[in-house]
Amino acid sequence: MVENVSGKKINWDFGPRRSGDPAVLIASSELAQKELGWKPKFADLESIVKSAWEWHKKHPKGYKG
């Protein structure tokens, strides 16, 4: 998705799991939505990546810039 949104090739490689890495990662905002009535501003991966990419293009040095 990052390559699609940014138009840039991402160099990546799978490697062995490092010491301390969890076997599985699962992320869900379902509990926050249910318990707090919270709704994410960007709910799908493409929107999340687009938002992050736009921010980084506008702030190439992060918050310091």
Side-chain angles (χ1 to χ4, degrees):
M1 184 59 67
V2 173
E3 289 182 344
N4 290 342
V5 169
S6 70
K8 298 186 180 291
K9 175 76 174 128
I10 307 298
N11 294 321
W12 58 271
D13 190 18
F14 283 105
R17 199 169 59 165
R18 300 164 298 181
S19 176
D21 283 349
V24 176
L25 291 174
I26 299 173
S28 173
S29 62
E30 186 177 332
L31 184 60
Q33 291 179 53
K34 181 179 173 183
E35 296 289 323
L36 304 173
W38 175 81
K39 295 237 183 217
K41 185 174 181 180
F42 305 105
D44 62 281
L45 183 60
E46 185 174 3
S47 296
I48 293 166
V49 173
K50 278 183 180 179
S51 172
W53 179 243
E54 289 302 318
W55 189 92
H56 283 282
K57 287 193 307 186
K58 291 177 184 172
H59 305 91
K61 295 182 181 181
Y63 287 110
K64 293 179 181 180

